[in-house]
Amino acid sequence: MSELEKTQERSRSETLSVLLGAAFLMATSAIGPGFLTQTISFTNELKAAFAFAILLSILIDIVVQLNIWRILAVSGMRAQDVANKVLPGLGYFLAFAVALGGLAFNVGNVGGAALGFEVLFGSEQVVGASVSAAIAITIFLWKDLGKAMDKFTQILGFLMLALVFYVVFVTKPPVMDTVREMVKPLTSMDLLKEYKWLVVLTLVGGTVGGYITFSGAHRIIDAGITGKENLSQISRGSINGIAITGVMRYLLFLAFLGVVLLGTEIDMSNPVASAFKIGAGEMGFRIAGVVLWAAAITSVVGASYTSVSFLRTLFGVVDKYYRFWIIGFIIASTSILTLIGRPVKLLIVAGSLNGLILPLSLGCVLLAAYKKEVVKDYVHPMWMTLLGWVIVVFTAWMGFNSFAGIVKLFQ
């Protein structure tokens, strides 16, 4: 093999590694304590009928992520800069909205890490939060930040999937019932009208809302994987990210469903640990600690990196010292947690509010797809555009109809 061929092979290998890392960064950003809490809360409420919301949210997530990743990658610009091209000043509003939502989520993420530590070692919340924050900060002090994030999220992502699969095997949930429930509402208009759309909005908001879908997109832009020549790989990477979150959501749903159907009451002060202990005994309790901590710490990394990335191109001082701003973001989240705690409902509320940001961010990106100064000669597929606008309208409608439910969650 010639030197040129070796260089090309190495380049392809590095590109695939970054794309896989970006997919896991996005997926593990989504799979945080809020993701776990939402899944068990809605499984407890809807039982097998929750399967329809999971399927619908995955389909919506794929369309959202394909649109956002492709358009941002072609432009080579981060979301806030694209928004400013659509309407001057809009990027600042989007950046602050996303960063604020990311901070709310990160408080919950640090709290989830503290809960995981408590389950594993019996430590106080402050100790678990502080140690976890220190580990996350270490990632951002690493010389090659991108590779450190990629490896960290991939290892812990695979670990979470394996452990949850074990709990599913132990609890033996009714898998075929969930498959039937995936399509059941489509067979009756009454069932479709009566379905709890706040659930779907919360799942979408917790998977691709707010900062989450941009975590992977900004990662590939930072790595320089942009332009039309990389679109096929970028598209696969975006779908891989949703596939990882979808598999994890469904496995968690099955594990929790097996526990819920036993009829034993779940302790909602730490629902994940309680459910896993009921379903798989002391081993399940320890697994819950590992899953909680891994989900939380990877989400701390993803939320901190992405929230600050929304400010980097808008403020020179943030770009110049971005590692320290990320570290400050983690310290601020940890400080807020130790002062006000982490109510379980806060995480569900944060997911719902991120769902309300989604129509704005997706709409901005879709409008930018037809601005030559953003995408140059790239022609965005019409089917992606049409489905994207359908989802903008759909999520805006769901958000409007679910606003009363969000207010109740605050209360």
Side-chain angles (χ1 to χ4, degrees):
M1 185 182 289
S2 68
E3 285 301 316
L4 176 61
E5 289 174 325
K6 287 180 180 178
T7 301
Q8 290 174 336
E9 182 64 29
R10 189 160 53 245
S11 177
R12 282 193 293 270
S13 175
E14 289 174 355
T15 298
L16 290 173
S17 176
V18 169
L19 288 170
L20 181 61
F24 267 94
L25 179 64
M26 174 267 148
T28 53
S29 293
I31 305 168
F35 186 98
L36 303 178
T37 303
Q38 290 163 8
T39 304
I40 192 167
S41 297
F42 293 138
T43 302
N44 196 36
E45 179 183 356
L46 299 176
K47 308 298 188 295
F50 184 40
F52 174 70
I54 293 175
L55 175 62
L56 184 57
S57 67
I58 289 172
L59 295 176
I60 293 172
D61 294 342
I62 288 173
V63 175
V64 171
Q65 186 133 301
L66 266 175
N67 274 295
I68 289 175
W69 279 40
R70 285 175 66 96
I71 294 168
L72 293 188
V74 165
S75 73
M77 294 186 288
R78 297 179 182 88
Q80 66 272 19
D81 301 315
V82 168
N84 273 334
K85 294 288 185 182
V86 172
L87 181 66
L90 185 58
Y92 287 89
F93 175 79
L94 181 63
F96 282 116
V98 169
L100 189 60
L103 182 63
F105 250 113
N106 223 32
V107 173
N109 293 335
V110 177
L115 277 179
F117 248 75
E118 182 182 349
V119 171
L120 289 170
F121 306 111
S123 61
E124 294 291 328
Q125 176 177 277
V126 175
V127 175
S130 300
V131 172
S132 300
I135 292 171
I137 288 170
T138 302
I139 299 295
F140 292 106
L141 291 174
W142 214 266
K143 185 178 180 180
D144 193 335
L145 172 59
K147 285 186 178 179
M149 283 198 304
D150 292 347
K151 292 299 181 186
F152 187 72
T153 54
Q154 286 175 44
I155 291 169
L156 292 187
F158 279 120
L159 177 64
M160 283 189 286
L161 286 169
L163 291 176
V164 175
F165 184 80
Y166 168 79
V167 177
V168 172
F169 179 77
V170 172
T171 57
K172 296 179 174 60
V175 177
M176 291 311 299
D177 286 351
T178 67
V179 173
R180 284 190 289 271
E181 288 290 344
M182 281 185 184
V183 295
K184 188 176 178 181
L186 299 176
T187 64
S188 167
M189 187 57 68
D190 289 337
L191 287 175
L192 199 60
K193 285 181 179 178
E194 292 170 4
Y195 203 80
K196 296 189 177 182
W197 294 106
L198 175 60
V199 173
V200 180
L201 177 70
T202 302
L203 295 191
V204 172
T207 308
V208 293
Y211 72 89
I212 298 171
T213 190
F214 296 104
S215 57
H218 285 191
R219 169 72 184 105
I220 59 178
I221 290 170
D222 285 346
I225 302 174
T226 57
K228 292 191 296 183
E229 65 274 14
N230 290 309
L231 274 180
S232 61
Q233 292 175 308
I234 289 166
S235 296
R236 284 197 295 273
S238 71
I239 294 173
N240 286 343
I242 299 301
I244 294 165
T245 59
V247 169
M248 186 64 173
R249 177 86 74 182
Y250 187 63
L251 286 177
L252 278 169
F253 162 58
L254 290 177
F256 292 147
L257 183 63
V259 173
V260 167
L261 294 179
L262 292 174
T264 306
E265 187 173 349
I266 295 170
D267 178 7
M268 293 307 290
S269 65
N270 192 342
V272 179
S274 174
F276 277 25
K277 186 173 184 178
I278 294 168
E282 191 61 30
M283 174 66 78
F285 186 68
R286 300 303 171 188
I287 287 174
V290 176
V291 171
L292 260 174
W293 185 82
I297 197 68
T298 50
S299 291
V300 168
V301 170
S304 304
Y305 164 78
T306 312
S307 297
V308 173
S309 78
F310 266 85
L311 304 174
R312 282 184 65 180
T313 57
L314 302 179
F315 303 99
V317 67
V318 177
D319 190 41
K320 186 176 181 180
Y321 302 105
Y322 79 97
R323 287 176 186 258
F324 297 104
W325 278 84
I326 294 171
I327 291 168
F329 193 87
I330 295 171
I331 293 171
S333 305
T334 308
S335 301
I336 292 170
L337 171 77
T338 56
L339 291 174
I340 68 169
R342 187 196 64 95
V344 168
K345 286 186 178 179
L346 173 65
L347 295 172
I348 299 176
V349 171
S352 300
L353 292 177
N354 266 2
L356 293 175
I357 295 172
L358 180 58
L360 172 64
S361 59
L362 179 57
C364 287
V365 172
L366 290 172
L367 287 172
Y370 294 91
K371 294 182 76 71
K372 295 298 181 184
E373 61 180 312
V374 176
V375 298
K376 302 178 179 65
D377 61 343
Y378 167 69
V379 180
H380 196 55
M382 184 56 66
W383 69 268
M384 286 190 194
T385 301
L386 292 175
L387 285 176
W389 280 114
V390 167
I391 289 170
V392 168
V393 174
F394 183 54
T395 52
W397 171 76
M398 283 195 297
F400 177 78
N401 283 293
S402 302
F403 192 74
I406 295 173
V407 171
K408 287 180 182 178
L409 286 175
F410 272 116
Q411 294 171 346

